[in-house]
Amino acid sequence: MINIQLSERQERIIDIVKASQPITSEEIGKKLNLTRATIRPDLAILTMSGILDARPKVGYFYSGREAFSFFLEQIKTLTVSDIKSVPVVVDEQTTMYNAIVTLFLEDVGSIYVASEGILTGVLSRKDFLKNAIGGMDLNKIPVGVIMTRMPNIITISPKESVLDAATKIMEHQIDSLPVVEEVNINGKDGYKILGRISKTNIIRVFVDLCNNC
Ligand code: ADP
């Protein structure tokens, strides 16, 4: 980001451009009661430092606005497949104890469960905590007993937008979504797990885009 000392006049030019963009150098000069030649060096500094954008025959724009539309554009066009991460998948017979160890080793907040390649369940931190404080024998109980099961799982397809993913996460108050595609395995319809999209993925996009603006 730019970190230069601006003169009072340059600050006033920025305010004028923000209020009336696109605006020509002549019009800016008029508002300041100065000639075009007088403010030319100021405009040169402001465009070279990236604060203003100059378009031939159109005028000056405040680039902060450009940056914001770039941000919005990217948020709308980025797809789930652009940002998904690798899912952690176990089978229904995995014990709660082993699944909790997996949660720590893989450093994730939720685990997916699949049977013969098809999504059957989701396990979150609270599912483990709830059942652990209920006194279940972690070494005996398989995750199939405690998981949230299909058809109650909220999923997303790789082609959907990051905004769609964020909306589903917000609406259903969950931390992650399995990224899936519809398949038919041995005559059974279901979802194959392709990835995982979590609040962390979405926050990372937000930070990356802001840093690139
Ligand atoms: P945490 O347990 O850390 O609050 P979540 O908010 O993701 O994490 O999980 C809350 C509940 O929602 C859990 O019972 C979990 O099994 C369930 N859950 C998590 N992800 C999904 C999903 N994609 N679809 C349906 N239910 C889910």
Side-chain angles (χ1 to χ4, degrees):
M1 200 52 212
I2 1 109
N3 187 17
I4 54 167
Q5 199 62 42
L6 298 177
S7 70
E8 204 178 306
R9 187 155 81 202
Q10 288 159 358
E11 298 279 12
R12 285 181 64 197
I13 292 176
I14 294 172
D15 288 341
I16 290 170
V17 175
K18 271 187 191 168
S20 316
Q21 59 191 331
I23 180 166
T24 64
S25 58
E26 199 156 2
E27 288 165 330
I28 298 171
K30 259 191 214 151
K31 285 183 192 275
L32 291 168
N33 284 326
L34 296 168
T35 64
R36 225 164 83 175
T38 314
I39 61 167
R40 190 172 296 138
D42 295 315
L43 288 171
I45 288 173
L46 292 171
T47 43
M48 276 189 303
S49 58
I51 297 171
L52 296 187
D53 257 349
R55 300 235 181 101
K57 298 210 174 79
V58 183
Y60 289 88
F61 288 89
Y62 176 62
S63 66
R65 205 180 99 160
E66 306 278 291
F68 186 63
S69 29
F70 168 78
F71 179 87
L72 278 185
E73 191 62 26
Q74 290 292 307
I75 283 284
K76 283 186 190 148
T77 53
L78 272 174
T79 64
V80 165
S81 96
D82 294 327
I83 70 157
K84 70 178 171 19
S85 49
V86 178
V88 177
V89 184
V90 297
D91 62 42
E92 289 190 28
Q93 281 68 49
T94 307
T95 62
M96 274 177 65
Y97 182 89
N98 283 335
I100 292 169
V101 170
T102 306
L103 202 73
F104 279 98
L105 288 180
E106 302 283 348
D107 195 17
V108 287
S110 46
I111 295 180
Y112 303 144
V113 184
S115 171
E116 291 168 12
I118 286 183
L119 172 69
T120 57
V122 173
L123 295 151
S124 78
R125 280 179 275 233
K126 256 183 247 147
D127 294 328
F128 291 118
L129 285 171
K130 194 170 60 194
N131 289 287
I133 60 171
M136 275 191 171
D137 185 344
L138 302 182
N139 275 305
K140 289 216 178 95
I141 306 294
V143 292
V145 175
I146 67 155
M147 69 190 191
T148 298
R149 272 192 178 273
M150 280 302 269
N152 298 321
I153 302 175
I154 314 299
T155 61
I156 193 141
S157 97
K159 287 192 209 98
E160 284 180 82
S161 73
V162 170
L163 191 59
D164 291 332
T167 306
K168 282 188 178 180
I169 285 177
M170 288 285 294
E171 273 175 3
H172 297 279
Q173 298 182 354
I174 45 181
D175 283 355
S176 83
L177 301 166
V179 181
V180 297
E181 72 175 354
E182 276 181 51
V183 286
N184 183 294
I185 298 179
N186 303 329
K188 259 199 277 175
D189 282 334
Y191 290 126
K192 182 178 156 196
I193 308 169
L194 303 175
R196 171 174 189 274
I197 191 154
S198 67
K199 285 179 181 169
T200 310
N201 294 102
I202 293 168
I203 289 171
R204 196 176 296 129
V205 170
F206 182 84
V207 171
D208 285 350
L209 284 178
C210 287
N211 286 339
N212 284 325
C213 270

